[in-house]
Amino acid sequence: MLKVAVVMGSRSDADKVKPAVDIFKKFGVPYTVRVLSAHRTPTEAAEFAAKAAADGYGAIIAVAGKAAHLGGVLAAATTLPVVALPVSTSFLDGLDSVLSVLPMPSGVPVAVVGVNSGANAALFCVRVLAAGDKALTEKYLGYVKEMHDRTLADDAAIAAQLN
């Protein structure tokens, strides 16, 4: 199975990565977490992305806040899907991060999930990998069924409580 790289621009983003790691563990998807900065270690970040496909990765999550250019730096150096995970900051509570990753130039696509949405970033990667992995597709369908059943149980519980 292909791996997913989770690249943080700063160690301070580690708590935002935990939900993604939990999803990868749930689905049995191998992953690697790194700290590589678009601004402090641009050469190393680009080199990592350039070698990622050959090293067995199928997708990359770029976790960054403030001037969140990491997704673009990584996407410019690879053909793999890159998902930007903007994180909240003390400046504009993460809106700055979103606005840094949304306006990518034509030809350098980066998918963007919501601020601090590590689980959705990981689930997007699971879907990407599942396109070529029938067993992973079945695991994902099971996850969807769990969400479905949990929502219907919540519906029944709230109806019994409030109706």
Side-chain angles (χ1 to χ4, degrees):
M1 177 184 297
L2 293 172
K3 304 177 284 188
V4 176
V6 180
V7 182
M8 298 181 286
S10 171
R11 183 179 179 156
S12 64
D13 298 330
D15 62 324
K16 305 303 190 297
V17 169
K18 176 105 173 59
V21 167
D22 291 344
I23 291 292
F24 293 138
K25 287 179 181 177
K26 179 179 183 68
F27 283 94
V29 172
Y31 63 91
T32 301
V33 179
R34 299 285 309 269
V35 175
L36 296 169
S37 170
H39 304 106
R40 295 180 207 97
T41 59
T43 302
E44 291 83 352
E47 286 173 353
F48 178 82
K51 296 187 317 184
D55 288 344
Y57 292 94
I60 299 172
I61 297 175
V63 186
K66 296 185 180 174
H69 299 129
L70 184 58
V73 167
L74 298 175
T78 187
T79 59
L80 294 177
V82 174
V83 182
L85 170 54
V87 298
S88 58
T89 66
S90 58
F91 182 71
L92 297 178
D93 201 30
L95 179 59
D96 51 327
S97 307
V98 172
L99 295 176
S100 292
V101 295
L102 279 178
M104 291 301 300
S106 180
V108 187
V110 175
V112 182
V113 296
V115 174
N116 299 336
S117 298
N120 271 354
L123 288 167
F124 183 86
C125 292
V126 168
R127 284 181 166 201
V128 168
L129 298 182
D133 186 326
K134 187 170 176 66
L136 190 55
T137 298
E138 291 303 316
K139 285 182 184 179
Y140 188 81
L141 291 172
Y143 177 81
V144 169
K145 175 143 179 37
E146 287 174 19
M147 287 190 304
H148 171 270
D149 294 348
R150 191 169 47 250
T151 301
L152 290 179
D154 289 347
D155 175 52
I158 203 74
Q161 178 185 357
L162 299 177
N163 289 334

